[in-house]
Amino acid sequence: MSPQRGPSGHLIVIGGHEDRQCDKAILAHFVALSGGPDARIAVVTAATAHPEQTWDTYCKALGDLGASHCEHIHIETREDANRAELAAKLADADGIFLTGGDQKRLLANLGGTELDTAMHRAFKEHGACIAGTSAGASAMSGHMLAEGDGLDRPPTEGVSLRAGFGFLQRVVSDQHFSERHRLARLLTVVAQNPYLQGIGIDEDTALVIDRGLGVEVVGQGAVTIIDGRSMLSNAAEVDQCDTPELIDVRLHLLPAGKRYELGADDHANDHLPPPLLDFLKNVTKRNPAS
Amino acid sequence: MSPQRGPSGHLIVIGGHEDRQCDKAILAHFVALSGGPDARIAVVTAATAHPEQTWDTYCKALGDLGASHCEHIHIETREDANRAELAAKLADADGIFLTGGDQKRLLANLGGTELDTAMHRAFKEHGACIAGTSAGASAMSGHMLAEGDGLDRPPTEGVSLRAGFGFLQRVVSDQHFSERHRLARLLTVVAQNPYLQGIGIDEDTALVIDRGLGVEVVGQGAVTIIDGRSMLSNAAEVDQCDTPELIDVRLHLLPAGKRYELGADDHANDHLPPPLLDFLKNVTKRNPAS
């Protein structure tokens, strides 16, 4: 374990297409929060159909940022994902990066395996930094957005949830958010699942979560939060192909560069608007139930 | 004046591309609210560069719906728009339809002219039905969205407002809303102008406003309401090219088929969610200031 690594653990939820050529701001955050150049970093390419090419890209980008201990973890089967030596490497990693690809493939092969358990151990037991981009980002929450086109307006069909890794709970995140016009899709999910707060992350943008402490938006775009908990809706009653009525959905737009810190107690959080405070408390929660 | 015409006046704000071939549901509403087959209907094509073609389309569609007294009002200059005989026709119309095209052209030629005054007289003095589609719809509010691409995410530049006809106040409406992914653009306007409620109307969808009584959503899509009045934002402080922070924007989605009626007093409105009630009171207001 590198000495710089903090005990609290960080999550970096990336909206896809993060810069890997120029300033690499998001990847630089990942390296720093993993503990710096000496951090042991594992790049998990299980989501993609092009693991070698993806690994080459990240190996070079992370190397350019000074990370000197990067390792490629690729698995093709659940059998691979239960191999003890791979699990040991992940459990001992300072930083774990989940690449893009297909989140259904990622979970189908890793969900519930030794590698899954190892990632949770790395995060919870010694505060590793867990980052995911695109499909890898979708997979980080307990409820994972798995299907559905970037529909023009909310219907009540065409979107499905599956079980994700659960590093975050009571949220569902969608990537490439502005670029692929996914607000309608996220509204649909929130209308059907008001228990979940929707997080829409633009490309080359990341929501960096410092467990127990706060969040920061890094990169070029913004993070959109959709909160339907006080919403009134007829989503449960309308036909699958009809647009539901939604009244009083709350929307927050958090641009890159913004940082929101939680105080030690509620009094210290008086400066935070209540709807935002509630979101912060939720995503920075320690030891969420899986 | 046709005997069927109600005294209160109706506004029909259409999101563009309303059906003109099949059931023509929105145009049928326009004919009915203008007073039925005997209504004197004026089709104002001043927004479009193709007035004859546009007139032919509406003349046929409205004729198919039984409207037997349709007239083409086209003007090319402000001089035309001050002609007394045209103004008299508009002032006496039971229904006025503002076609699509370019809302800047429409206002540049009609704003403040005798024709403008005549439309307001028709609406206020004897309860004509005023409908607008696309550019014609944008022009109906006092603050008219005039520029700006369907930007991916809110910047604080690239969107401008001009002065519209003012049949609606304290709102700004945007058409082709879901189809052209215009939420970011409407959020930008609301962030910069929290005094205004944003109305996003899908294609082949209309917000039908029954002055003093209520609203109905007609057609195929939905109407999205963006309310930023209790929002916290740094829109006034950030650079023109930066994305502002927006906390606690309220969003409502009203699907086609929904009707919302105002009661005689506040007690009778207990069934309406307060944020929606507030919107209804605003858009159904009688005699808004111009």
Side-chain angles (χ1 to χ4, degrees):
Chain A
M1 199 187 320
S2 69
Q4 301 95 317
R5 185 168 59 191
S8 71
H10 292 84
L11 299 171
I12 307 184
V13 194
I14 309 169
H17 289 195
E18 72 284 354
D19 176 55
R20 299 153 203 164
Q21 308 279 342
C22 304
D23 71 346
K24 312 180 194 62
I26 293 168
L27 294 178
H29 261 73
F30 170 65
V31 172
L33 294 175
S34 297
D38 295 330
R40 283 166 299 185
I41 288 175
V43 177
V44 178
T45 58
T48 175
H50 311 286
E52 289 303 329
Q53 185 183 330
T54 303
W55 159 246
D56 287 348
T57 300
Y58 283 104
C59 182
K60 178 169 188 326
L62 296 168
D64 288 348
L65 290 164
S68 52
H69 302 289
C70 297
E71 187 156 8
H72 183 194
I73 306 284
H74 185 64
I75 59 129
E76 296 279 354
T77 63
R78 290 184 65 82
E79 199 170 16
D80 288 346
N82 280 313
R83 282 168 53 198
E85 73 277 18
L86 285 183
K89 280 181 183 170
L90 269 196
D92 210 33
D94 302 304
I96 298 173
F97 194 95
L98 304 170
T99 71
D102 177 350
Q103 59 265 47
K104 297 188 297 297
R105 179 204 310 260
L106 180 58
L107 262 294
N109 280 331
L110 254 77
T113 66
E114 291 300 318
L115 284 196
D116 179 357
T117 304
M119 287 198 294
H120 280 275
R121 281 185 52 204
F123 178 61
K124 289 188 183 172
E125 293 180 11
H126 57 260
C129 178
I130 313 286
T133 188
S134 194
S138 288
M140 291 172 75
S141 54
H143 294 277
M144 176 180 86
L145 197 50
E147 301 279 357
D149 295 321
L151 302 148
D152 276 348
R153 57 180 172 244
T156 55
E157 65 176 350
V159 184
S160 74
L161 295 180
R162 295 199 183 182
F165 289 127
F167 291 106
L168 289 161
Q169 294 291 337
R170 301 191 66 161
V171 300
V172 60
S173 75
D174 205 355
Q175 283 59 245
H176 311 279
F177 190 70
S178 294
E179 294 78 7
R180 297 189 189 170
H181 307 293
R182 285 181 161 171
L183 178 89
R185 162 161 129 167
L186 195 55
L187 276 176
T188 298
V189 176
V190 169
Q192 294 172 336
N193 305 274
Y195 184 84
L196 306 179
Q197 289 180 309
I199 305 176
I201 307 180
D202 292 346
E203 292 180 357
D204 197 17
T205 306
L207 180 67
V208 178
I209 298 167
D210 195 352
R211 207 155 55 131
L213 298 175
V215 308
E216 184 174 2
V217 181
V218 175
Q220 295 299 319
V223 172
T224 303
I225 312 296
I226 301 292
D227 187 338
R229 288 171 305 160
S230 59
M231 162 191 77
L232 299 173
S233 164
N234 64 353
E237 292 144 37
V238 298
D239 283 347
Q240 287 287 320
C241 55
D242 287 345
T243 303
E245 176 192 52
L246 308 177
I247 307 282
D248 217 9
V249 175
R250 310 291 175 96
L251 182 151
H252 317 307
L253 187 80
L254 314 180
K258 280 281 172 184
R259 182 169 171 80
Y260 305 92
E261 290 183 25
L262 281 172
D265 54 40
D266 279 346
H267 181 67
N269 289 322
D270 282 349
H271 64 290
L272 291 167
L276 186 63
L277 175 59
D278 199 55
F279 171 74
L280 294 179
K281 284 185 172 175
N282 184 25
V283 293
T284 62
K285 200 175 284 177
R286 287 170 189 270
N287 301 315
S290 286
Chain B
M1 198 188 321
S2 70
Q4 303 95 318
R5 184 167 62 193
S8 70
H10 291 84
L11 299 171
I12 306 184
V13 195
I14 309 168
H17 288 194
E18 72 284 353
D19 176 54
R20 298 154 203 162
Q21 308 280 341
C22 302
D23 72 345
K24 311 181 194 64
I26 294 169
L27 295 179
H29 261 74
F30 170 64
V31 173
L33 294 175
S34 296
D38 294 331
R40 282 165 299 185
I41 289 175
V43 177
V44 178
T45 58
T48 175
H50 310 286
E52 289 303 328
Q53 186 183 331
T54 303
W55 159 244
D56 287 348
T57 300
Y58 283 103
C59 181
K60 178 169 187 327
L62 296 169
D64 288 348
L65 290 164
S68 52
H69 302 289
C70 297
E71 186 156 7
H72 183 194
I73 307 284
H74 185 65
I75 61 130
E76 295 279 353
T77 64
R78 291 183 64 80
E79 199 171 14
D80 288 347
N82 280 312
R83 283 167 54 197
E85 72 277 19
L86 285 183
K89 280 181 183 169
L90 268 195
D92 209 34
D94 302 304
I96 298 173
F97 194 96
L98 304 170
T99 71
D102 177 349
Q103 59 265 48
K104 297 189 295 299
R105 179 205 308 260
L106 180 59
L107 263 294
N109 280 331
L110 254 76
T113 65
E114 291 299 319
L115 285 196
D116 179 357
T117 304
M119 286 197 295
H120 281 275
R121 280 184 53 204
F123 178 61
K124 291 188 184 174
E125 294 179 10
H126 57 259
C129 177
I130 312 286
T133 188
S134 195
S138 288
M140 292 172 75
S141 55
H143 292 90
M144 175 180 86
L145 197 51
E147 301 279 357
D149 293 324
L151 302 148
D152 277 348
R153 55 179 174 248
T156 56
E157 65 177 350
V159 184
S160 74
L161 295 180
R162 294 199 184 184
F165 290 126
F167 291 107
L168 290 159
Q169 295 291 336
R170 301 191 67 162
V171 299
V172 61
S173 75
D174 205 356
Q175 283 60 243
H176 310 279
F177 190 69
S178 294
E179 295 78 7
R180 298 190 188 169
H181 308 293
R182 286 181 161 171
L183 179 89
R185 162 162 129 165
L186 194 55
L187 277 176
T188 299
V189 177
V190 169
Q192 294 172 336
N193 305 276
Y195 183 84
L196 306 179
Q197 289 180 309
I199 306 176
I201 307 180
D202 293 344
E203 292 180 356
D204 197 17
T205 307
L207 180 66
V208 178
I209 298 167
D210 193 352
R211 205 155 57 130
L213 298 176
V215 308
E216 183 174 1
V217 181
V218 175
Q220 295 298 318
V223 171
T224 302
I225 311 296
I226 301 292
D227 187 339
R229 288 171 305 161
S230 60
M231 161 191 80
L232 300 174
S233 164
N234 65 353
E237 292 143 37
V238 298
D239 283 347
Q240 287 287 320
C241 56
D242 288 343
T243 302
E245 177 191 50
L246 308 178
I247 307 282
D248 216 9
V249 175
R250 311 291 175 97
L251 182 150
H252 318 307
L253 187 80
L254 315 181
K258 279 284 173 182
R259 182 169 172 79
Y260 305 92
E261 291 182 24
L262 282 171
D265 54 40
D266 279 347
H267 181 67
N269 290 321
D270 282 351
H271 65 290
L272 291 167
L276 186 64
L277 176 59
D278 200 51
F279 171 74
L280 294 180
K281 283 184 172 177
N282 184 24
V283 294
T284 62
K285 201 175 284 176
R286 287 170 188 271
N287 301 313
S290 288

